[in-house]
């Protein structure tokens, strides 16, 4: 293949990367929303961001699948493309995409940690409620003595 034949592939790949970057930016915003929802404990907001995220991820996977063949062709001729300015732009876009993915993963880890913290707090609250319930039951037994059987009434009656 010549550079002239590779140019349309480079342009097609560039367009696909631009689409992926747009989706990654949207995914980044959704991951921040999801972290906020996990920190506040808003189940409704969490579900809303999960649903939106699923849609974006499905689109991202579709775009990535469509670019796979083009990427493989470009990789075969990478040595011929390294001096091409359009190819250098693609390399820069790949770095940008990798940075976005790293940021999304970091925010997701924060979300997971917030959810773990919330789960731990709920566990402690449940233990405290159980302990309080046991203490209250013991207090109730002390304060409310059991009624003695009505033996006096039974003898006279």
């Amino acid at each position: 293949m010549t550079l002239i034949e590779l140019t349309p592939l480079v342009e097609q790949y560039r367009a696909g990367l631009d689409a992926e970057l747009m989706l990654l930016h949207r995914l980044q915003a959704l991951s921040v929303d999801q972290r906020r929802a996990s920190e506040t404990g808003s189940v409704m907001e969490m579900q809303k961001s999960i649903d939106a995220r699923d849609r974006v991820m499905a689109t991202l996977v579709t775009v990535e699948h469509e670019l796979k063949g083009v990427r493989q062709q470009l990789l075969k001729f990478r040595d011929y493309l390294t001096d091409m300015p359009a190819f250098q732009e693609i390399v820069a876009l790949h770095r940008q995409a990798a940075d976005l993915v790293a940021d999304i993963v970091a925010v997701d880890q924060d979300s997971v940690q917030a959810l773990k913290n919330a789960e731990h707090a709920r566990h402690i609250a449940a233990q405290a409620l159980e302990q309080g319930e046991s203490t209250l039951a013991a207090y109730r037994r002390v304060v409310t003595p059991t009624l003695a059987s009505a033996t006096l009434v039974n003898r006279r009656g």
Side-chain angles (χ1 to χ4, degrees):
M1 273 190 137
T2 67
L3 282 179
I4 294 172
E5 294 170 324
L6 290 171
T7 300
L9 289 176
V10 171
E11 291 171 2
Q12 181 183 356
Y13 194 70
R14 165 69 191 258
L17 273 178
D18 286 339
E20 284 186 348
L21 282 169
M22 180 197 67
L23 292 168
L24 286 171
H25 281 291
R26 179 67 185 131
L27 196 59
Q28 183 182 38
L30 287 169
S31 69
V32 170
D33 291 345
Q34 195 170 5
R35 179 183 61 198
R36 192 175 309 115
S38 66
E39 289 171 346
T40 62
S42 173
V43 175
M44 187 174 267
E45 287 298 316
M46 179 74 89
Q47 190 59 51
K48 181 180 163 185
S49 65
I50 288 171
D51 291 343
R53 192 171 175 156
D54 284 346
R55 288 188 298 273
V56 172
M57 285 300 295
T59 306
L60 185 61
V61 167
T62 300
V63 171
E64 181 61 29
H65 179 72
E66 291 172 2
L67 287 178
K68 186 177 180 180
V70 176
R71 182 184 311 108
Q72 288 174 344
Q73 285 184 316
L74 292 176
L75 282 174
K76 288 179 188 175
F77 300 100
R78 184 181 181 137
D79 294 338
Y80 299 111
L81 297 170
T82 54
D83 294 333
M84 181 186 251
F87 186 75
Q88 293 305 317
E89 290 174 13
I90 287 175
V91 171
L93 290 175
H94 265 282
R95 281 190 209 111
Q96 191 177 4
D99 291 345
L100 279 170
V101 169
D103 183 60
I104 292 166
V105 168
V107 171
D108 286 350
Q109 288 173 344
D110 291 345
S111 296
V112 168
Q113 188 59 48
L115 289 171
K116 284 180 181 178
N117 292 345
E119 179 185 2
H120 183 66
R122 279 191 286 277
H123 180 70
I124 289 173
Q127 280 182 329
L129 283 173
E130 287 174 5
Q131 185 177 5
E133 206 173 272
S134 297
T135 303
L136 187 58
Y139 182 71
R140 186 179 329 140
R141 284 191 299 271
V142 169
V143 172
T144 312
T146 58
L147 295 175
S149 62
T151 55
L152 182 62
V153 174
N154 287 343
R155 277 191 242 154
R156 289 190 180 183

